[in-house]
Amino acid sequence: MKRLLRQLLPFASLLALIVLLAALEPEKFLTGSNFLNVLRRSSVNGIIALGMTAIIISGGIDLSVGSLLALAGMVGALVIQAAGPEWGALAGTFAGIGAGALCGLVNGLVITRLGLPPFIITLGSMSVFRGVAYVMHDGQPYNVPDYRFLGEGVVFGIPVSVILFVALALLAFLALRYTRLGRYTYAIGSNRDAAFHAGVRIERSLLALYALTGTLAGIAAMIGTSRTVSAQPTAGIGMELDVIAAVVIGGASLSGGSGTILGTVIGTLLIAFLRNGCTLLGISTNVQLIVIGVIIVAAVALDKAAQRRKA
Amino acid sequence: MSETPQATPMALRMVGISKSFGPVQVLREVGLEVRPATVHALCGENGAGKSTLMKVLAGVHRSDQGRIEIGGRARDFKQPADAIAAGVAMIYQELDLAEDLSVAENVFLGAEPRRFGFALDLRACVAATAALIRENGFKLDPGARVGNLSTGDCQLVEILKALRKKASILAMDEPTSSLSQPEAKRLFEVVRELRRRGIAIIYISHRLEEVEALADEVSVLRDGRVVYSGPMAQTPISAVVAHMVGRELSDYYPAHAARPGEVRLSVEGLSTAAGLRGIRFELRAGEVVGLAGLVGAGRTELARALFGIDRPTEGTLRLSGRPYSPANPCEAIAERVGFLTEDRKRTGLCLGLPCGWNITLPSLPRFTRAGFLSLAREQRAAASFGEKVRVKWGGPGDPASSLSGGNQQKLLLARWLLSDVELLIVDEPTRGVDVGAKREIYQLLHELAASGRAVLFISSELPELLGVTDRILVMRRGRMVGGFATRDATPESIMQLAAVDGKAPAPLP
């Protein structure tokens, strides 16, 4: 019940925003296609935010997700080109996801083996992954004109990317709530030493979290690649901040031990609708940055205040 | 209220003091009378209202009702300065000194003698402090930097501050909690000297032996009320305890008859990089075995080695006859060994998470089917084991941080009961736990032993070891130096082994 109450704030903000936009721009905003559009746009960030939620709950952070996305997309697109029209799409999709998983695994291995803060390690790998993405094709994108299903495909009138986002969110929710890994994630973030003394295998759990987040970023990379029918080495620059913002707006604490998938989904949608609303109202993307920055701080400040009142 | 005239007025009368914080009433019409030149002990479990009462006396909190008389005059303390002006001085558990200033500067902080109205007269300051130190027979250098002093000396500085302010009432909150034995002894002398000089001392301590040795009168607070007040000489400690916990305790330590069974754990020649040297002993099912030793003797290190945290460099461990070499706590738990650590906040509980999650954390594999947790079964188990250890909570969904220290400790006991350990190592399990909860923890340890588990009980409190265990092992400098059947042990014989070097280790029983 309390957990639900905590979720109320982001949810109420989201609802208020939708009502506001509906009132201001009913013709443009209140259409099915606009909603689906917002959902489709938020799916790439949203899918990565699912993994980021778990990492942040564990008390860590992953700054490399944007670069990882670019690298995974480049690998996927390269394989699509190389494998030819018949099997290219399938092989490339799995290659991209696999590349993401591998990068995430590397993050996890370095973090657990060296025992250094994830912030530092992923700050480094953010640069390394980006560099590899540039080097792969000399800074040029790979074009994959026929790779359209993930980005543009529609099943029963719903974009494939949205279906993927919803399905993965559901899986992430179940994993956090109903698996040992999920519980250990909370325990590690709440008190790592105590979790260790209670028999939690810290390193193994963290490794899984970073590898899973890499996998999710790989999936997001292939959706993004498909949407633009090309893999750009510049893809996802600054994305890590948007993703972290969504998680934090959703009620997770950067000091670890708290956060939920539902909150993160709401946080993701909140940012997406803000962007959408600003665009519909003719507010420039530059001003959007300011608005979103203010919202992040306000959301966290309000959440802190609510917590303090409860304590 | 009768106002009988008295020859000497009370140093302090607090009458009908009530105080609420929001909906929680912390003090209920508390009355406290303290005579001049007496030591008045104030006892009570954690949360009984002692600290709040003292803060009302110090002018930190204003009471909702009631009045305070100092030396027969009614006073109204609106702020701490009013209390100080009336002659009330407080020495809190956390000392309140400026570390970078000298003893003299601290003593005169805020009231420095001045020359020409503004220039600090440090020399006068030092001279006055030296005089105070001499009068009271302390051994302190007025020019010493406070940050370099021991905790015991810092307390003397606090007392000097109080004397400088001409305090007639001195309240001390757990003054010995961070003192060594000799420092504590010296403090008692100081307290007695202050009493001779007519000061009324309110003495708060969990250590009832101190209270017995020092106090002239004793008042017991429970649930915000004074439930007993009387001369110490006519009040046995058992009565104080009974008033504190609100029921008759037939015996402070529960009765227990050991029925040692088969050997659960055998340790042969265990050495570790953390400093253990050739440790050898056995634990049997059904026993509670105490592990005594000074700080740094290697008791916690032994526990860590048994729990798979530190790897042995030498030696073998066997658990119920099988070789046992855990590489980490997870493997130790799988072999049904549990370790209740010394620092429940740092290494014990995930305070921000629900109580239930804390109880089930090492036992989650048991609630997993096809990779998924059964939250309903988990919740039921947490609730039932919480009940079993009689933890006071709203339910397993409450965050662990919402419980008191004793109840947090019970959560950890519930954790290891649920994980069904065969060997439980408990490290200082009653530290910072109030009397009632202590006894319950002892009882739970006995119940564990009675159900055929082995319990290794690490404690620095000798009375507790002597009262609770069946056997006591003594460590010194990383070695096992001896052991007793508890009925043959005395505090002196244990300390002798634990503290005195150069003797050949006594044979183990």
Side-chain angles (χ1 to χ4, degrees), chain A residues 178 183 190-191 198-199 201, chain B residues 330 345-346 349 372-373 378:
Chain A
Y178 290 98
R183 187 64 63 80
S190 174
N191 185 344
R201 299 199 181 207
Chain B
C330 186
K345 289 207 161 62
R346 211 174 56 74
L349 290 166
F372 281 88
L373 291 173
E378 186 209 355

Side-chain angles (χ1 to χ4, degrees), chain A residues 2-3 174-180 183-184 186-188 190-201 257-258, chain B residues 307 309 329-331 333 341 345-350 352-353 357 361-362 364-365 368 371-373 375 378 415-416:
Chain A
K2 254 184 212 158
R3 213 172 304 153
L174 292 174
L176 264 182
R177 197 169 152 76
Y178 290 98
T179 68
R180 265 184 276 167
R183 187 64 63 80
Y184 293 162
Y186 282 98
I188 292 168
S190 174
N191 185 344
R192 189 179 168 133
D193 282 342
F196 172 72
H197 283 88
V200 174
R201 299 199 181 207
S258 70
Chain B
F307 195 56
I309 302 173
C330 186
E331 291 184 17
I333 292 164
T341 56
K345 289 207 161 62
R346 211 174 56 74
T347 54
L349 290 166
C350 296
L353 299 184
W357 288 16
L361 192 53
L364 287 182
T368 312
F372 281 88
L373 291 173
L375 296 190
E378 186 209 355
R415 164 189 290 181
W416 296 118

